[in-house]
Every structure is written in C-alpha cells, then in structure tokens.
Amino acid sequence: LLYLYTNQLDNCKKICEQLPSQDEVSAVLKAAVFVRERKMREAIQCLRDNCKRSGSPHSMDLSESEIQGSQLVGLTLAQLYLQQSDIENACDVLSNISACFFKPAVVDLVVHLYLSKDAHRSVSEFYQKVLTHYSDKRIDDSSIIQQAAEFELKFGDSHMGIELLESYSIRIGLILD
C-alpha cells in the first residue's frame, strides 16, 4: 500500500507478483495500479479474472457463484463499473455478493441504481429475489415488504403491491376488513 500511495507503481507491481494470484488483496492492489495508470478496462478485467479463478473457469460471464465468495473484489468491481457509468453490471455484481447483498443499505443502493435507469422491471424482479431470500432465511423483512409494496403500487403490478401490503399488515398485526 505504501508503494501505491507514494506512486511507486513499478515497486507495487513487483510486490503484487509475489502474492498468491488467487488472493483478493493482490487482485485489488493490481486493479488499483491499473486505475492509477488510467487503465480502467485492465483493472476491471483483473478483478473479473480473480473472480473466475475462485469460481467456475468455464464461463466467460461472471456468475453468481463466481462473485459470492469475494466481497472485497466484488465491491471494488462494482465501484469501477459505477465509475464507468455501467449501472447494469454494477447492479449485477452487487446482487451476487452473498455476504452483503441482502443488507438493507445494499438493497436500497441497487434499487436506486436501477431506478436511475428507469429499469422498473429489474427493480420488481430484484425485490422478488430479496423477499424470497428473506422468507427462506426467516429474516424480518417487514421494511423490505413495505418498500416493495410501495414500489409495485407506484410503478409495477398493483395486484402484487396489494398482496405485499396484506402480507405486511398481517406481520405487524393489523386485521384488514
């Protein structure tokens, strides 16, 4: 890190080569060097390659299983995509980091990113994925249900929004007449 912060990129590259190639920190440092050199494509490819080494080498696209284990690399990759204004890929990466995907802040971030592109269908599908995960894990999802219901009523399927509101009402103990 010292070499990186003092712009000694050649020394930083040498140190990175000594680290194990599957190491997350090594991949992020290599990507940081590429970013400093204004080589964003190479930085993104470096992180994608790290995900592929830790996942399935048979796919050219990053799958859920390739990103899941690497929160550091995944968040860094999402940040680089956002710097490139590639919201779709950033959302795909964020929604495949299992360690943090279902945290409320990440859910809100992904929803807002999709909404910035007017991708209402993607938001609806995303909320369904989140709600399914929450119900499978028996996590309190009342705030997410409420957000999803409001979204569906405003932009999506009003019938789905009503069902979600009914579900939310039952959870908080209200009885609908």
Side-chain angles (χ1 to χ4, degrees), residues 91-102:
C91 288
D92 288 344
V93 169
L94 287 170
S95 65
N96 286 319
I97 304 172
S98 62
C100 67
F101 166 61
F102 297 106

Side-chain angles (χ1 to χ4, degrees), residues 47 130 133 158 163:
L47 295 172
V130 171
H133 172 78
S158 58
E163 286 179 12

Side-chain angles (χ1 to χ4, degrees), residues 22-24 27-28 47 50-51 54 64-77 93 96-99:
Q22 297 90 347
D23 185 49
E24 286 184 346
V28 172
L47 295 172
N50 180 270
C51 289
S54 62
E64 183 176 336
S65 64
E66 291 169 333
I67 298 172
Q68 276 185 349
S70 179
Q71 183 175 353
L72 175 64
V73 172
L75 290 173
T76 306
L77 185 58
V93 169
N96 286 319
I97 304 172
S98 62

Side-chain angles (χ1 to χ4, degrees), residues 45 76 82 93 118 143:
Q45 191 59 46
T76 306
L82 289 173
V93 169
D118 289 328
S143 65

Side-chain angles (χ1 to χ4, degrees), residues 62-122:
L62 291 177
S63 68
E64 183 176 336
S65 64
E66 291 169 333
I67 298 172
Q68 276 185 349
S70 179
Q71 183 175 353
L72 175 64
V73 172
L75 290 173
T76 306
L77 185 58
Q79 181 179 6
L80 292 179
Y81 279 133
L82 289 173
Q83 287 177 340
Q84 297 292 333
S85 300
D86 188 349
I87 291 175
E88 193 68 34
N89 277 328
C91 288
D92 288 344
V93 169
L94 287 170
S95 65
N96 286 319
I97 304 172
S98 62
C100 67
F101 166 61
F102 297 106
K103 293 183 178 178
V106 176
V107 171
D108 286 342
L109 172 63
V110 173
V111 167
H112 286 294
L113 288 172
Y114 278 136
L115 288 177
S116 73
K117 289 291 195 180
D118 289 328
H120 294 104
R121 180 176 296 247
S122 296

